[in-house]
Amino acid sequence: MHLWSQGAGTYSGNNRVQVAAEKGKGKASQGQFPITQNVTVTEGGTANLTCRVDHNDNTSLQWSNPAQQTLYFGDKKALRDNRIELVRASWHELSISISDVTLADEGQYTCSLFTMPVKTSKALLIVLGVPEKPEINGLKKPTQEGDKITLTCKTSGSKPAADIRWFKNDKEIKGVKEVNASGKTFTVKSTLELQADRNDDGATVICRVDHEALSSTPQLATQVLEIHYAPIAEIIPSVKHPQEGQILKLICDFKANPMPDPVLWTKDDGELPDLDRMTVSGRELTISLLNKTDNGTYRCEAVNRIGKSIGEYTLFVHDISTTLSPSTTTLFLTTTAAISAWSIVTCAITSAAATSTTLKDPSALSDQTGPDHAVIGGVVAVVVFVTLCLIIVLGRYLARHKGTYLTNEAKGAEDAPDADTAIINAEGNQANAEEKKEYFI
């Protein structure tokens, strides 16, 4: 905040227009007024004090400190202080600088214009106290789950009093602030209470000090929480519906701090029965070649110094599904028959190829790795195709010629005294009914 001061009065904003108007009248009694500006500076910084007069008839300007000690009279230095230097001196302006400002430099500085009477203007120098880097106290490591955590954050030397804010993993949480004055500065302390929870293990707690003297870079103090808690175990199977002959992995899943001792696996409250098929590696239990004897309740036990937890899993080994639909059964039988035929043909061709190779070159047996599978496949495909065609033709033939057939004796047996007469009668009937023919298959 900057305010311009003229004489014994202070002006800001539109009041400057009034000052300029009064100066424009050209009257010495009203036009010669020194103008100053309030200054705010951070402790340790540099303050620039400027006094101006628009209409001056060669009258001297002077700067004095809050103790009414003359600092500069025109361009003449009056106070022996190496921190105070002349910036500019003329009939219209007297500017000085004060380096390495302390809180003791704060106060009202006076610019005097030696007219008759002397006219003065005040400039307020405000010094901001920079807060010290905060510290977090009260954290015990490690903290057991469920315990109460009380943290305090403290900073000193701020002016005005600083503001303290708490954050946990970038989320702001509320603390209780306490402010104490110490001379011109303030000591600020904030208290934060937390309940130790396993979810806060590894969380970062931040105490942040905000103050206008820190500009855009607040002071920070951080602490990382370490929460010890008991494990909570759970068994996760690798297969949802295990079947006979499969491999099953049971994983003992848990979180704990500190980490538990090696996991203990049991079945039905006893030791694992078949160590040849059941192997333990860390948190995993692997069961190979599942069968019905593996059914039962499996448990994994995780223990640390805080407590223990047991995870359970009931295993039921399912049969391999053998129930097939009619169409699937037919397809299965047909495929089986085809595979059997293929195997027979392949075996025969292989044997023939091997025999032929042996007869042609006895020494070639050791070099021959096997028959030509491409040739075997082609032969088998032709054999299967021909076989299917024969089956189709035979089926159609039998379907067209199915029925009941009579011999010649049976056909003429009606009203015939003996077999010869029956045959003769049957041959006579054949002349009248051509559709009744006898077939021998």
Side-chain angles (χ1 to χ4, degrees):
M1 178 181 66
H2 300 287
L3 298 177
W4 290 96
S5 299
Q6 177 179 338
T10 301
Y11 298 84
S12 63
N14 295 331
N15 291 343
R16 298 182 186 180
V17 178
Q18 181 179 354
V19 172
E22 291 178 355
K23 294 177 181 179
K25 295 180 180 179
K27 296 181 180 180
S29 61
Q30 295 181 358
Q32 293 178 317
F33 285 96
I35 302 173
T36 59
Q37 185 180 16
N38 292 340
V39 176
T40 299
V41 64
T42 301
E43 185 179 12
T46 300
N48 293 309
L49 300 175
T50 300
C51 180
R52 296 199 328 262
V53 59
D54 292 337
H55 302 282
N56 192 355
D57 52 358
N58 300 332
T59 303
S60 298
L61 293 170
Q62 173 186 290
W63 271 112
S64 302
N65 63 13
Q68 296 303 312
Q69 295 173 318
T70 301
L71 303 179
Y72 268 89
F73 183 79
D75 59 354
K76 306 298 181 179
K77 186 173 183 179
L79 185 65
R80 294 180 180 274
D81 190 337
N82 294 331
R83 299 180 303 126
I84 304 174
E85 295 181 356
L86 179 65
V87 176
R88 185 177 180 182
S90 68
W91 296 115
H92 298 284
E93 180 180 334
L94 179 59
S95 297
I96 63 173
S97 66
I98 306 174
S99 60
D100 196 16
V101 174
T102 66
L103 294 175
D105 295 323
E106 187 175 70
Q108 293 276 1
Y109 286 74
T110 304
C111 176
S112 302
L113 177 63
F114 285 88
T115 59
M116 293 300 291
V118 176
K119 297 181 177 63
T120 61
S121 179
K122 302 288 185 179
L124 177 61
L125 176 60
I126 301 173
V127 181
L128 300 177
V130 180
E132 297 177 356
K133 184 176 177 61
E135 294 181 357
I136 296 178
N137 298 308
L139 180 61
K140 296 180 180 178
K141 291 186 179 182
T143 304
Q144 188 167 326
E145 184 178 25
D147 289 350
K148 184 179 179 180
I149 302 174
T150 302
L151 304 178
T152 60
C153 183
K154 181 180 179 181
T155 181
S156 302
S158 61
K159 178 182 172 296
D163 185 29
I164 294 181
R165 300 168 67 187
W166 290 95
F167 295 86
K168 184 176 70 175
N169 286 343
D170 298 328
K171 182 179 180 181
E172 186 170 2
I173 49 181
K174 190 69 174 177
V176 179
K177 187 170 70 172
E178 178 183 343
V179 180
N180 294 309
S182 177
K184 290 186 177 182
T185 62
F186 297 88
T187 298
V188 184
K189 182 175 71 173
S190 181
T191 304
L192 176 68
E193 292 187 352
L194 298 172
Q195 193 79 16
D197 186 87
R198 65 179 58 210
N199 295 324
D200 292 332
D201 184 37
T204 300
V205 176
I206 300 173
C207 168
R208 190 176 90 181
V209 176
D210 293 318
H211 193 266
E212 53 187 304
L214 299 175
S215 184
S216 59
T217 56
Q219 299 272 26
L220 300 177
T222 61
Q223 286 285 358
V224 178
L225 300 180
E226 183 181 353
I227 311 298
H228 280 190
Y229 55 94
I232 298 179
E234 177 187 9
I235 297 179
I236 302 176
S238 61
V239 180
K240 188 174 182 180
H241 301 290
Q243 295 182 352
E244 287 185 301
Q246 288 184 334
I247 296 177
L248 176 66
K249 287 186 178 182
L250 300 179
I251 302 172
C252 188
D253 184 53
F254 58 82
K255 287 184 178 181
N257 188 17
M259 291 301 292
D261 297 329
V263 176
L264 176 63
W265 285 93
T266 59
K267 178 189 177 186
D268 297 330
D269 295 327
E271 296 182 354
L272 298 177
D274 191 348
L275 298 181
D276 292 334
R277 294 187 302 109
M278 299 180 181
T279 57
V280 176
S281 177
R283 300 184 181 188
E284 292 186 2
L285 169 62
T286 302
I287 307 174
S288 59
L289 297 175
L290 286 174
N291 57 61
K292 295 292 186 180
T293 63
D294 297 327
N295 289 343
T297 300
Y298 292 80
R299 294 178 176 86
C300 73
E301 181 180 292
V303 181
N304 64 8
R305 67 179 185 83
I306 309 300
K308 72 176 181 178
S309 176
I310 298 176
E312 291 190 355
Y313 172 76
T314 301
L315 172 62
F316 179 79
V317 180
H318 297 265
D319 296 329
I320 299 177
S321 179
T322 56
T323 305
L324 301 174
S325 62
S327 59
T328 306
T329 305
T330 303
L331 177 61
F332 175 76
L333 294 176
T334 304
T335 305
T336 303
I339 292 174
S340 299
W342 191 325
S343 301
I344 294 172
V345 175
T346 301
C347 183
I349 293 175
T350 303
S351 299
T355 304
S356 175
T357 302
T358 304
L359 293 175
K360 288 181 180 181
D361 187 2
S363 63
L365 183 59
S366 60
D367 300 332
Q368 186 71 21
T369 58
D372 190 340
H373 294 285
V375 176
I376 294 174
V379 173
V380 170
V382 172
V383 172
V384 172
F385 178 77
V386 172
T387 302
L388 292 176
C389 291
L390 291 176
I391 292 174
I392 293 172
V393 172
L394 182 60
R396 290 175 59 85
Y397 179 82
L398 293 177
R400 293 180 59 185
H401 294 84
K402 67 180 179 178
T404 303
Y405 298 92
L406 301 176
T407 62
N408 288 335
E409 293 180 355
K411 293 177 182 179
E414 187 178 355
D415 299 331
D418 51 33
D420 293 336
T421 305
I423 293 172
I424 294 172
N425 291 340
E427 292 178 351
N429 292 334
Q430 288 178 358
N432 297 327
E434 293 182 357
E435 71 279 2
K436 295 181 179 181
K437 296 183 180 181
E438 184 175 2
Y439 295 90
F440 294 93
I441 299 173

